[in-house]
Amino acid sequence: MLIVMIHKAGPKQIEAVVKAVETMGLTAAPIPGSERTAIGVLGNKGYVDDTTIRDLPGVQEVIHVSKPYKLVSRDFHPRNTIVKVCGISIGEGKRPVVVAGPCAVEGEEQILKTARAVKKAGADLLRGGAFKPRTGPHTFQGMREEGLKLLAKAREATGLPIVTEVMSPDTVGLVAEYADLLQVGARNMQNFELLKELGRIQKPVLLKRGMSATIEEFLAAAEYILAEGNPHVILCERGIRTFETATRNTLDLAVVPLIREMSHLPVMVDPSHATGKRSLVAPMAKAALVAGAHGVLIEVHPEPDKALSDGPQSLTFHGFDLLMEEIRRLNAFLGVDDGGEKAP
Amino acid sequence: MLIVMIHKAGPKQIEAVVKAVETMGLTAAPIPGSERTAIGVLGNKGYVDDTTIRDLPGVQEVIHVSKPYKLVSRDFHPRNTIVKVCGISIGEGKRPVVVAGPCAVEGEEQILKTARAVKKAGADLLRGGAFKPRTGPHTFQGMREEGLKLLAKAREATGLPIVTEVMSPDTVGLVAEYADLLQVGARNMQNFELLKELGRIQKPVLLKRGMSATIEEFLAAAEYILAEGNPHVILCERGIRTFETATRNTLDLAVVPLIREMSHLPVMVDPSHATGKRSLVAPMAKAALVAGAHGVLIEVHPEPDKALSDGPQSLTFHGFDLLMEEIRRLNAFLGVDDGGEKAP
Amino acid sequence: MLIVMIHKAGPKQIEAVVKAVETMGLTAAPIPGSERTAIGVLGNKGYVDDTTIRDLPGVQEVIHVSKPYKLVSRDFHPRNTIVKVCGISIGEGKRPVVVAGPCAVEGEEQILKTARAVKKAGADLLRGGAFKPRTGPHTFQGMREEGLKLLAKAREATGLPIVTEVMSPDTVGLVAEYADLLQVGARNMQNFELLKELGRIQKPVLLKRGMSATIEEFLAAAEYILAEGNPHVILCERGIRTFETATRNTLDLAVVPLIREMSHLPVMVDPSHATGKRSLVAPMAKAALVAGAHGVLIEVHPEPDKALSDGPQSLTFHGFDLLMEEIRRLNAFLGVDDGGEKAP
Amino acid sequence: MLIVMIHKAGPKQIEAVVKAVETMGLTAAPIPGSERTAIGVLGNKGYVDDTTIRDLPGVQEVIHVSKPYKLVSRDFHPRNTIVKVCGISIGEGKRPVVVAGPCAVEGEEQILKTARAVKKAGADLLRGGAFKPRTGPHTFQGMREEGLKLLAKAREATGLPIVTEVMSPDTVGLVAEYADLLQVGARNMQNFELLKELGRIQKPVLLKRGMSATIEEFLAAAEYILAEGNPHVILCERGIRTFETATRNTLDLAVVPLIREMSHLPVMVDPSHATGKRSLVAPMAKAALVAGAHGVLIEVHPEPDKALSDGPQSLTFHGFDLLMEEIRRLNAFLGVDDGGEKAP
């Protein structure tokens, strides 16, 4: 940690900062500069809460040499993490996976029909929401456990592993009984009690970035899960909230290569929620793969116009077939086609 | 709901939209315009999920006549709601309340000392976090139940009702045993399972606005609590996340008069978290009251420089005394001084 | 400037950074830490462009001790600047001024009528746009020079000094012939050629904050004007662009006390553009004054419903009378009533 | 235009709205609904300024059927525009172009060396700033006319057409003497006097999106240029300002397919300014091309570590060679390789 003093800071103020640092059991090393003094803080293990320093008289700013996360950082864990979901490897050097399905499970026919269609088209995993976080209480909230059972049926019928959202600590056990990959939605990225609970199981977790979460906060949220003992975490960019209203969210695709630099965890992209517009899903899915995403989540519905949620961003079966065809060609071009490791 | 077609939309597209609307059990009334056609949707009760419509071919946009909330809306409940906390009335026409205390309960001496100091200075309620949501898992997470017990002691010692945060559905019961006003933090504004649980008790709830929540989403979150049967909700603006980094958040004070127009619920302001800077707390607290806030939350700490969290935005006892003096003068000026109803 | 290395940075990388610093004619002082090394940069005069350093291998981050501005900084110019407009003093310790008038000059009757009405109500200056920046070219663009002439007539009729916008360097001379205070709109805050031109005249300038400008960029924009030799600058917060759409912009009122800390220049607030909603103008204007603003800009129109621009946020004459009455009472309460210096 | 009334709106309020609409020379058609009334506005040509309506008593909201632009809209001009720069065709179906060069022209050797290097690597156009918009006045402002002359020399030496920024109306003539494609920077996207001046020449213009500009504002800014008579406009996404600070800006790649839907103008992407980080430039450049961009702008510098601006995001000659190799392979895969039209 480095503490920068204002250029008028006197010896007394510097002394006070040094004392405060020492109170924290750390060492302070003042660095006199031509214009002002800075104070280096040594000996801390990991992140230091700077609130005891930041506002002392004469302090201009405090900058951190360490981050609020360690376990998820490539700095401390250089080797790539490969997350296995029912034998499917997700991560660096593996063929990117495609997770497909409806926003919400609406009934047996809908989910089975969709599962068979996306399986036929070549999807790797099946997604479908049983517990739905909705802005208001007066709209469809999901089929809950009944929905989980239908997902299990769809898995039996197709062999596709299941990805579904969990919304609260007390339902982690229930959802984990059915799901192969547990999803944490954007609204719950900082639901820390939920994250801790997920850290106590050993099933893989798909953590979506919060609507206004910085990359640092995103990685720190994943740290909660790893810190509790569950290393099987996949990160997912799904668009952030900005002033732009022409798209549902703003897909921040640059975080894909950035996260690959900062962390060893796999990173996926959800172009359906990010754009909210069917016609933008395919171009953004392909862009995500070229940017280095380890997988994409695509919303597919038998009849998007009748979907109980997210119809406008859901692909039809035909639209999904076309996208999968493009993705296969793209993977071949990128040298990450079936089974293949990335070319050197 | 009104559906606007693109100016090239043909009879077939219009027909399809009409059908889709009828499938929803609603009535569609096409309105031919000089440039294009619009279709009015009639007969819906409350908000209509437009996802089955928004993306039909030929549809340009869908606009809502109803909102995702009803119970919190002044439109449907014109009379102001006054929330009572241990006999203290909070809301329109009442003297604005001051909730003061440390960000986190750190120990018996700290909380008792602070409780006595803020009581002496004239605070109405005592705040203090026992369960602390922190960006990373490696920083102080709060004293949990032990913290709640210390808050109860502080209440005995001073008579001040207690405001403290609840972070998960399964701890609502525990926190409700101790707290007089249960706070939902910004990160949990859309933790819907938590909101529903809070709707099932009858203790008052202080709901903080999410960092990137629109007013509509904020009110819709409150709707979750009211919809479950608990009408005792106070809204709290605490700053939103923007591109500006000079302050911790951007205090969106204009929402105070706006919420008073849109809803009958009381609205409070937290200038401490909003600004993150001690020197900005007093001016923003006074600005909030002049803008019509029904109360303010002020962080106070015996030794801000040693606080385990939010030290830089915490006032000293002396600073809080001065602020309370200014607030008393301001309330007198505004005609909402002690006990007094607002002057006509 | 301080350069922080990643914790694995080797001697070669550190050496390279030291060299790069020396190439810039500065001195580099490596500071070995327990976890990693930092390098202090000494001897720079003012801000250093860090682009030659920031991306060297092994560099984690660069932090600045100096800012991109000096002349506007209180750090280097502690005494408050009082800007005089036709004998009216604007700044710390003076009675806050009220600038009132229509968004745009629409005709002789409209501007004269408004000028007389706001004068009668107690406004200090008259505002009115002759050159109007509009999102699209197909809407009213302002009366240009003819509008300036009408403003001059209104000044003759009422004695109110004129505030009006200038949009390009080549019209600075023309606008300066008529205006007493030249306004730079939010869209032009970083129109640097315009700022430089305004720095070459001696008339006071009202600089509005850009829609997505940080405080640092805002002050740096003012620095352009001062650096060219014109010290008569007033800053104006008018709302920033955020995700929130319930208001036209988000009024960032906390910058008022913040700017008063960071700079010696006067700061005003425009609640009309910030909120875009008539009913929010009065509460935000009063909040701004309590927060320490040195003045407010209020849009007033004889018939807001017929205004060619910004009708929804314009006050009627009656609404403005009521606001002025409230402002007079508030100024008396704040001890900054007519002529009076602020009480100690 | 459609006007939605609140559900309590009475006949008088509806009548007043109808009158206001008729005052504007338009026709009003009230549409009684089950919950409330809406009023259709007919007969308007293009965008209607709704400020005379939006705030009438009883009006809930106004929605627009037309947009603030027409000429740039695909709705009114379905055929793709191909912009020719010195014989190079830019737009739909053409091989995407690569514009490469330093952020700023710093001297003869630097620009000539870079021009030869990017030419050799296969770039189509040379970029270089002679007039530089900088946050503060105390940093390098560009070589101005001398820089333009050096760019002309580089063109002679390599045959590469020149792209350079113009910052004010009065320098349009000067810059147009030298440049083949005139760039409007993000800070000037709403410098309307500049846009109008550029509309009066016939040279192609590269219009960059403002840091906080919506797509609608972006297209409306282009409308200013087309409305004055210059149809040769290329749009350029360069990242928007959000809360995220890990990248310089947030690259909003989804606007590429979106703009291709909304407008007939070519759209390019600048991954260098968008990310601000060298390691992110190549992945984002490739992602942009896969998303359908008609070209990319890449910053290249002989010695990024010594660049006077934007060093951290500039590629070395070697890095640019590698990127061009990847782009050639990608274009071949996409079926838009040299000279070739897009495959059906």
Side-chain angles (χ1 to χ4, degrees):
Chain A
M1 196 163 79
L2 280 146
I3 302 158
V4 188
M5 306 298 288
I6 57 170
H7 87 296
K8 289 201 203 119
K12 275 196 181 130
Q13 295 178 323
I14 291 166
E15 179 54 18
V17 171
V18 169
K19 273 225 177 61
V21 170
E22 287 165 354
T23 316
M24 296 161 69
L26 304 172
T27 313
I31 311 136
S34 72
E35 259 198 21
R36 55 196 82 193
T37 294
I39 296 165
V41 176
L42 316 176
N44 56 297
K45 283 152 201 49
Y47 186 77
V48 175
D49 186 340
D50 67 6
T51 47
T52 63
I53 301 292
R54 228 161 55 209
D55 210 44
L56 287 177
V59 172
Q60 174 163 307
E61 65 186 309
V62 175
I63 68 112
H64 288 279
V65 180
S66 340
K67 299 284 178 204
Y69 53 83
K70 265 212 153 102
L71 302 172
V72 305
S73 162
R74 192 176 282 286
D75 218 5
F76 291 84
H77 180 305
R79 275 189 73 256
N80 295 310
T81 288
I82 304 298
V83 174
K84 277 190 184 289
V85 181
C86 306
I88 300 171
S89 296
I90 302 172
E92 195 64 23
K94 306 299 179 185
R95 177 178 58 80
V97 295
V98 176
V99 181
C103 176
V105 179
E106 297 166 6
E108 177 157 359
E109 193 198 343
Q110 172 242 23
I111 192 65
L112 282 175
K113 224 168 133 181
T114 307
R116 292 196 179 96
V118 298
K119 165 76 171 185
K120 187 155 161 296
D124 300 290
L125 299 96
L126 175 67
R127 59 152 292 153
F131 294 85
K132 300 296 308 167
R134 304 300 301 274
T135 299
H138 307 311
T139 45
F140 178 60
Q141 302 279 311
M143 296 177 70
R144 308 179 72 86
E145 182 157 14
E146 194 192 339
L148 295 174
K149 287 177 175 156
L150 294 179
L151 284 167
K153 267 198 186 176
R155 174 175 47 197
E156 281 170 43
T158 61
L160 292 174
I162 288 171
V163 185
T164 196
E165 179 161 354
V166 57
M167 283 174 64
S168 60
D170 54 301
T171 51
V172 166
L174 172 67
V175 175
E177 271 180 46
Y178 295 90
D180 303 297
L181 176 58
L182 285 80
Q183 175 178 318
V184 176
R187 292 173 183 79
N188 281 316
M189 191 201 84
Q190 290 191 313
N191 182 339
F192 300 121
E193 295 306 314
L194 174 60
L195 299 177
K196 287 178 193 167
E197 195 61 35
L198 288 166
R200 299 186 193 109
I201 62 174
Q202 283 303 307
K203 279 216 168 167
V205 176
L206 180 72
L207 178 65
K208 288 195 155 190
R209 180 184 184 184
M211 280 184 203
S212 59
T214 62
I215 293 306
E216 184 163 295
E217 290 168 334
F218 191 16
L219 295 178
E223 184 85 359
Y224 268 93
I225 303 173
L226 273 71
E228 289 289 330
N230 183 355
H232 313 298
V233 175
I234 301 169
L235 303 168
C236 182
E237 158 66 20
R238 45 78 69 207
I240 57 175
R241 177 158 279 179
T242 71
F243 62 82
E244 179 58 77
T245 56
T247 45
R248 182 171 175 178
N249 295 285
T250 297
L251 179 60
D252 184 8
L253 216 47
V255 304
V256 171
L258 187 59
I259 286 176
R260 289 168 65 196
E261 288 177 15
M262 295 168 76
S263 176
H264 52 87
L265 297 174
V267 54
M268 292 177 54
V269 170
D270 177 347
S272 302
H273 281 88
T275 63
K277 215 165 175 303
R278 184 176 300 135
S279 61
L280 304 180
V281 171
M284 287 305 100
K286 292 180 290 177
L289 294 174
V290 169
H294 299 118
V296 288
L297 276 72
I298 308 293
E299 288 194 339
V300 180
H301 195 282
E303 296 172 281
D305 303 342
K306 295 192 179 147
L308 293 182
S309 64
D310 291 351
Q313 70 202 33
S314 298
L315 298 187
T316 60
F317 292 165
H318 178 60
F320 184 67
D321 288 340
L322 297 177
L323 174 57
M324 285 306 294
E325 186 42 56
E326 293 192 83
I327 287 177
R328 266 188 293 275
R329 292 180 55 234
L330 190 57
N331 285 341
F333 168 70
L334 296 173
V336 289
D337 41 6
D338 287 85
E341 299 296 309
K342 271 220 175 74
Chain B
M1 195 164 77
L2 280 145
I3 303 158
V4 187
M5 307 298 289
I6 59 170
H7 87 296
K8 287 200 202 119
K12 277 198 182 127
Q13 295 180 322
I14 291 165
E15 178 57 16
V17 172
V18 169
K19 273 225 178 60
V21 170
E22 286 165 357
T23 317
M24 297 161 69
L26 303 171
T27 313
I31 310 137
S34 72
E35 257 197 20
R36 58 198 79 194
T37 295
I39 296 166
V41 177
L42 315 177
N44 56 297
K45 285 152 199 46
Y47 187 73
V48 175
D49 186 340
D50 68 5
T51 48
T52 64
I53 303 290
R54 227 161 56 210
D55 212 43
L56 285 178
V59 172
Q60 175 164 302
E61 63 185 311
V62 175
I63 66 110
H64 289 280
V65 180
S66 335
K67 299 281 180 207
Y69 52 83
K70 267 209 149 99
L71 302 172
V72 304
S73 163
R74 193 177 281 284
D75 216 5
F76 291 86
H77 181 306
R79 276 189 71 259
N80 295 310
T81 289
I82 304 297
V83 174
K84 278 191 182 289
V85 181
C86 306
I88 299 172
S89 296
I90 302 173
E92 195 63 25
K94 305 298 178 185
R95 179 178 57 79
V97 296
V98 176
V99 181
C103 175
V105 179
E106 298 167 4
E108 179 158 355
E109 192 198 342
Q110 171 243 22
I111 192 64
L112 282 176
K113 225 169 131 178
T114 308
R116 292 197 179 96
V118 299
K119 165 78 172 183
K120 186 155 161 297
D124 301 289
L125 298 96
L126 175 68
R127 58 151 293 151
F131 294 85
K132 298 299 305 170
R134 304 300 301 273
T135 298
H138 306 312
T139 44
F140 178 60
Q141 303 280 308
M143 296 177 73
R144 309 180 70 86
E145 182 160 11
E146 197 192 335
L148 295 174
K149 288 177 175 156
L150 294 179
L151 284 167
K153 270 197 184 178
R155 175 176 45 199
E156 282 168 44
T158 61
L160 292 175
I162 288 170
V163 185
T164 196
E165 178 161 355
V166 58
M167 283 173 66
S168 60
D170 54 301
T171 50
V172 166
L174 172 66
V175 176
E177 273 178 45
Y178 297 91
D180 301 298
L181 175 59
L182 285 81
Q183 174 177 320
V184 176
R187 294 173 182 80
N188 280 316
M189 190 201 83
Q190 290 191 312
N191 182 340
F192 299 119
E193 295 305 314
L194 174 60
L195 299 178
K196 287 178 194 168
E197 196 60 36
L198 289 165
R200 298 186 194 107
I201 62 174
Q202 284 302 308
K203 281 216 167 168
V205 176
L206 180 72
L207 177 65
K208 288 196 155 190
R209 181 184 183 184
M211 281 185 203
S212 60
T214 61
I215 293 307
E216 183 163 298
E217 290 168 334
F218 190 16
L219 295 179
E223 183 86 0
Y224 268 95
I225 302 173
L226 273 71
E228 290 289 329
N230 183 354
H232 313 297
V233 176
I234 300 169
L235 303 168
C236 182
E237 159 66 20
R238 44 78 68 207
I240 57 175
R241 177 158 280 179
T242 71
F243 61 83
E244 180 57 77
T245 56
T247 45
R248 183 171 175 177
N249 295 284
T250 297
L251 179 60
D252 184 8
L253 216 49
V255 304
V256 170
L258 188 58
I259 286 175
R260 287 169 64 195
E261 288 177 17
M262 295 169 76
S263 176
H264 52 88
L265 297 175
V267 53
M268 294 178 52
V269 171
D270 177 346
S272 302
H273 282 88
T275 62
K277 214 163 174 307
R278 182 176 303 136
S279 61
L280 305 180
V281 170
M284 288 304 103
K286 291 180 290 177
L289 294 174
V290 169
H294 300 117
V296 289
L297 276 72
I298 308 293
E299 288 194 341
V300 180
H301 194 283
E303 296 172 283
D305 304 344
K306 294 192 178 147
L308 293 181
S309 64
D310 292 351
Q313 69 201 35
S314 298
L315 298 187
T316 59
F317 292 165
H318 179 61
F320 183 66
D321 287 340
L322 297 177
L323 174 57
M324 285 306 294
E325 189 40 57
E326 293 192 86
I327 288 178
R328 264 186 296 273
R329 291 181 53 238
L330 190 57
N331 285 341
F333 168 70
L334 296 173
V336 288
D337 42 4
D338 286 86
E341 299 294 309
K342 268 215 178 80
Chain C
M1 197 163 75
L2 280 146
I3 303 158
V4 187
M5 307 298 289
I6 59 170
H7 87 295
K8 291 206 203 112
K12 275 196 180 131
Q13 295 179 322
I14 291 165
E15 178 57 15
V17 172
V18 170
K19 273 225 177 61
V21 170
E22 288 166 354
T23 317
M24 296 161 71
L26 305 170
T27 313
I31 311 135
S34 72
E35 255 194 24
R36 56 198 78 195
T37 295
I39 296 166
V41 176
L42 316 176
N44 55 297
K45 284 152 198 47
Y47 186 75
V48 176
D49 186 340
D50 68 5
T51 48
T52 64
I53 302 290
R54 226 158 61 209
D55 211 44
L56 285 179
V59 172
Q60 174 164 302
E61 64 184 310
V62 175
I63 65 113
H64 288 281
V65 180
S66 338
K67 299 282 178 205
Y69 54 83
K70 268 213 149 101
L71 303 173
V72 305
S73 162
R74 192 175 283 284
D75 218 5
F76 291 86
H77 181 304
R79 277 188 70 257
N80 295 309
T81 289
I82 304 296
V83 174
K84 278 192 183 287
V85 181
C86 306
I88 300 171
S89 295
I90 302 173
E92 195 63 24
K94 304 300 178 184
R95 178 178 58 80
V97 295
V98 176
V99 181
C103 176
V105 178
E106 298 167 3
E108 178 157 356
E109 193 198 341
Q110 172 243 22
I111 192 64
L112 282 175
K113 226 169 130 179
T114 308
R116 292 196 179 95
V118 298
K119 165 76 171 185
K120 187 155 160 298
D124 301 290
L125 298 94
L126 175 68
R127 60 151 293 153
F131 294 85
K132 298 299 306 169
R134 304 301 300 274
T135 298
H138 307 311
T139 43
F140 178 59
Q141 303 281 308
M143 295 178 73
R144 309 180 69 87
E145 182 158 11
E146 196 192 339
L148 296 174
K149 288 178 174 154
L150 294 179
L151 283 167
K153 269 196 184 179
R155 173 175 46 197
E156 282 169 45
T158 61
L160 292 174
I162 288 170
V163 185
T164 196
E165 178 161 356
V166 57
M167 284 174 63
S168 61
D170 54 302
T171 51
V172 166
L174 173 66
V175 176
E177 273 179 47
Y178 296 90
D180 302 297
L181 175 59
L182 286 80
Q183 174 177 320
V184 177
R187 294 174 182 79
N188 280 317
M189 190 202 83
Q190 290 191 313
N191 182 340
F192 299 120
E193 295 306 313
L194 173 60
L195 299 178
K196 288 179 193 167
E197 195 60 35
L198 289 165
R200 298 186 195 107
I201 62 173
Q202 283 305 305
K203 280 215 167 167
V205 175
L206 180 72
L207 178 64
K208 287 195 154 190
R209 180 184 183 185
M211 280 184 204
S212 59
T214 61
I215 293 305
E216 181 162 298
E217 290 168 333
F218 189 17
L219 295 179
E223 183 86 359
Y224 269 94
I225 303 173
L226 272 70
E228 290 289 329
N230 182 356
H232 312 298
V233 176
I234 300 168
L235 303 168
C236 182
E237 158 66 21
R238 44 80 67 206
I240 57 175
R241 178 157 280 179
T242 71
F243 61 83
E244 179 58 76
T245 56
T247 44
R248 182 172 175 177
N249 296 285
T250 297
L251 180 60
D252 184 8
L253 216 47
V255 304
V256 171
L258 187 59
I259 286 175
R260 287 168 65 195
E261 289 177 15
M262 296 168 75
S263 176
H264 52 87
L265 297 175
V267 53
M268 293 178 55
V269 170
D270 177 347
S272 302
H273 281 88
T275 62
K277 214 163 174 310
R278 181 177 306 137
S279 61
L280 304 180
V281 171
M284 288 304 102
K286 291 181 290 177
L289 294 174
V290 169
H294 300 117
V296 289
L297 276 72
I298 307 294
E299 288 193 340
V300 180
H301 194 284
E303 297 170 284
D305 303 344
K306 296 196 178 142
L308 294 181
S309 64
D310 291 351
Q313 70 202 32
S314 297
L315 299 188
T316 58
F317 292 165
H318 178 61
F320 184 66
D321 287 340
L322 296 178
L323 174 57
M324 286 305 294
E325 187 41 55
E326 293 192 84
I327 287 179
R328 264 186 295 271
R329 291 181 53 237
L330 190 58
N331 285 341
F333 169 69
L334 295 173
V336 289
D337 42 2
D338 286 86
E341 299 296 309
K342 269 220 179 73
Chain D
M1 195 162 80
L2 281 146
I3 302 158
V4 188
M5 307 299 289
I6 58 171
H7 87 296
K8 291 206 203 110
K12 276 201 179 125
Q13 295 179 323
I14 292 166
E15 179 54 17
V17 172
V18 169
K19 273 226 178 63
V21 170
E22 287 166 354
T23 319
M24 297 162 70
L26 304 171
T27 312
I31 311 136
S34 73
E35 259 199 19
R36 55 196 80 193
T37 295
I39 297 165
V41 176
L42 317 176
N44 57 298
K45 285 154 199 45
Y47 187 76
V48 175
D49 186 338
D50 68 6
T51 47
T52 64
I53 302 290
R54 229 162 53 208
D55 212 45
L56 286 179
V59 172
Q60 175 165 302
E61 65 186 310
V62 176
I63 66 113
H64 288 280
V65 181
S66 340
K67 299 280 177 209
Y69 52 83
K70 264 207 155 108
L71 303 172
V72 305
S73 163
R74 192 176 282 285
D75 218 8
F76 292 85
H77 181 306
R79 277 189 70 257
N80 296 309
T81 288
I82 303 298
V83 173
K84 278 190 182 290
V85 180
C86 306
I88 299 170
S89 296
I90 302 173
E92 195 63 23
K94 306 299 178 184
R95 177 177 59 78
V97 295
V98 176
V99 182
C103 175
V105 179
E106 297 166 5
E108 177 157 359
E109 193 198 344
Q110 172 243 23
I111 192 64
L112 281 175
K113 222 168 137 180
T114 308
R116 292 197 178 95
V118 300
K119 165 77 171 186
K120 186 153 161 298
D124 301 290
L125 298 95
L126 175 68
R127 61 151 291 154
F131 294 86
K132 299 298 305 169
R134 303 302 299 275
T135 298
H138 307 311
T139 45
F140 178 59
Q141 303 280 309
M143 297 178 69
R144 309 181 69 86
E145 181 158 13
E146 195 191 338
L148 295 174
K149 288 178 173 153
L150 295 178
L151 284 166
K153 267 198 186 176
R155 175 174 46 197
E156 281 169 41
T158 60
L160 291 176
I162 289 170
V163 185
T164 197
E165 179 161 355
V166 57
M167 283 174 64
S168 60
D170 54 301
T171 51
V172 166
L174 172 66
V175 175
E177 272 179 47
Y178 296 90
D180 301 299
L181 176 59
L182 286 81
Q183 175 178 317
V184 176
R187 293 174 182 80
N188 281 316
M189 190 201 84
Q190 290 191 312
N191 181 340
F192 300 120
E193 294 306 314
L194 174 59
L195 299 177
K196 288 179 192 167
E197 195 62 34
L198 288 165
R200 298 184 195 110
I201 62 173
Q202 282 304 307
K203 279 215 169 168
V205 176
L206 180 73
L207 178 65
K208 288 197 155 189
R209 180 184 184 184
M211 281 184 202
S212 60
T214 62
I215 294 306
E216 184 163 296
E217 289 169 333
F218 190 16
L219 295 179
E223 183 85 359
Y224 268 94
I225 303 173
L226 273 70
E228 289 288 329
N230 183 356
H232 313 297
V233 175
I234 300 168
L235 302 168
C236 182
E237 159 65 21
R238 45 79 69 207
I240 57 175
R241 176 158 281 180
T242 71
F243 61 84
E244 179 59 77
T245 56
T247 46
R248 181 171 177 178
N249 295 286
T250 297
L251 180 60
D252 184 8
L253 216 48
V255 304
V256 171
L258 187 59
I259 286 176
R260 287 168 65 195
E261 288 176 16
M262 295 169 76
S263 175
H264 51 88
L265 297 175
V267 54
M268 294 177 54
V269 170
D270 177 346
S272 302
H273 281 88
T275 62
K277 213 163 176 307
R278 183 176 301 135
S279 61
L280 304 180
V281 171
M284 287 303 102
K286 291 182 290 178
L289 295 173
V290 169
H294 300 117
V296 289
L297 276 72
I298 307 294
E299 288 193 341
V300 179
H301 194 282
E303 296 171 283
D305 303 343
K306 297 196 178 143
L308 293 183
S309 64
D310 292 351
Q313 69 203 32
S314 298
L315 299 186
T316 60
F317 292 165
H318 178 61
F320 184 67
D321 287 342
L322 297 177
L323 174 57
M324 286 306 293
E325 186 42 56
E326 293 192 85
I327 287 178
R328 265 187 295 274
R329 290 181 54 237
L330 190 58
N331 285 341
F333 168 71
L334 296 173
V336 289
D337 43 4
D338 286 85
E341 299 296 310
K342 269 218 176 77

